[in-house]
Amino acid sequence: MHGLTPIFSTVTASFLASFVEVVEAFTIVLAVGVTRSWRPALTGAALALALLAALVLVFGPLLALVPITVLQFVVGVLLILFGMRWLRKAILRSVGVIALHDEEQAFSKETAALQRQAADRRADYLAAVASFKAVLLEGVEVVFIVIAVGAAHGQTLYAGLGALAAFVLVTLIGLAVHRPLARVPENSLKFIVGLMLTSFGVFWTGEGLGAEWPGADLALLAIFAVIALASFAIVRWLRGAYLAPAEGVAR
């Protein structure tokens, strides 16, 4: 059980985080393919994937040279910052402070921009650049998450498999329906991923500082539960804080 807990949590965190990022990248690539043509869309995406693979091959082996305690501490702190950023946005979206991300709207916006460039002689080049940028920007986050959640305990392979599964699943679903995956509960996924990344960060920062967690890897579940309860309490408090003034104005 102790051995399966970090593997399951690593694969799950990598899969869910990658799923969200791949959905956002796929929306832009689909817009390019449908509006312009699939050649620049796939060319830009392929070049971005090649660059991301090169980054993994270059920086991945360098992590083996870093002492494990230093690596755990650095990765832990970065994951806390990264996870809290996801968690903050998810909380604010859930209470209506920030608008929910709309894949249909993103698709329409990108389609309109590509249509305005249709008369430009560089239309295919600009379309390929749009596809390249989308895959690269979202892919960099995927690479960071895969390396971060996998490196501290030598589970980069499992993290990579989680990301690969997300990529394959989104691609298959997207190509089958041939439209943006607007019904994906993206904010809920980001909320869960934020909780998981923050939990990993707290756990590995503690290990990097020499802490011995009660229950070893099972402590991850307890940390996740505490952060989740605190986050839900914040959501409830914010909803009350924002709804109260609105009700007062309505009266």
Side-chain angles (χ1 to χ4, degrees), residues 61-248:
L62 295 179
L63 295 177
L65 304 178
V66 182
I68 187 63
T69 53
V70 175
L71 182 63
Q72 287 174 331
F73 178 77
V74 173
V75 168
V77 171
L78 289 176
L79 278 179
I80 291 174
L81 297 175
F82 203 71
M84 290 298 292
R85 181 172 71 91
W86 279 50
L87 200 52
R88 172 183 169 274
K89 288 184 177 180
I91 289 173
L92 293 178
R93 286 193 179 103
S94 67
V95 298
V97 177
I98 299 178
L100 292 172
H101 187 81
D102 189 338
E103 293 302 329
E104 291 282 4
Q105 185 179 36
F107 180 81
S108 299
K109 182 179 179 180
E110 187 65 29
T111 298
L114 291 167
Q115 288 174 341
R116 288 194 297 269
Q117 299 169 354
D120 196 315
R121 290 182 299 176
R122 302 175 302 162
D124 282 347
Y125 168 76
L126 294 174
V129 168
S131 179
F132 175 84
K133 286 170 58 179
V135 175
L136 183 64
L137 291 176
E138 305 300 339
V140 166
E141 292 204 32
V142 172
V143 169
F144 169 77
I145 290 169
V146 167
I147 291 177
V149 301
H153 273 186
Q155 294 173 349
T156 305
L157 175 61
Y158 294 112
L161 290 175
L164 179 61
F167 173 79
V168 172
L169 181 60
V170 172
T171 302
L172 291 177
I173 295 175
L175 291 176
V177 301
H178 213 64
R179 58 180 299 175
L181 303 183
R183 294 186 178 181
V184 173
E186 188 170 326
N187 197 59
S188 298
L189 290 178
K190 286 185 175 181
F191 198 101
I192 295 171
V193 171
L195 291 173
M196 296 191 74
L197 295 183
T198 306
S199 301
F200 271 109
V202 172
F203 182 81
W204 286 333
T205 300
E207 285 204 334
L209 292 173
E212 293 186 7
W213 294 102
D217 292 326
L218 287 176
L220 267 172
L221 302 178
I223 295 171
F224 179 90
V226 170
I227 296 175
L229 288 174
S231 299
F232 287 126
I234 292 172
V235 169
R236 187 171 182 178
W237 175 73
L238 286 176
R239 281 178 177 166
Y242 279 95
L243 286 176
E247 290 174 355

Side-chain angles (χ1 to χ4, degrees), residues 2-18:
H2 286 209
L4 292 177
T5 299
I7 294 175
F8 177 77
S9 56
T10 295
V11 173
T12 303
S14 179
F15 174 82
L16 293 177
S18 301

Side-chain angles (χ1 to χ4, degrees), residues 29-66:
V29 175
L30 180 63
V32 173
V34 171
T35 306
R36 187 64 191 173
S37 74
W38 285 104
R39 182 176 180 180
L42 296 178
T43 299
L47 289 174
L49 289 174
L51 180 56
L52 290 170
L55 290 175
V56 173
L57 291 175
V58 170
F59 291 104
L62 295 179
L63 295 177
L65 304 178
V66 182

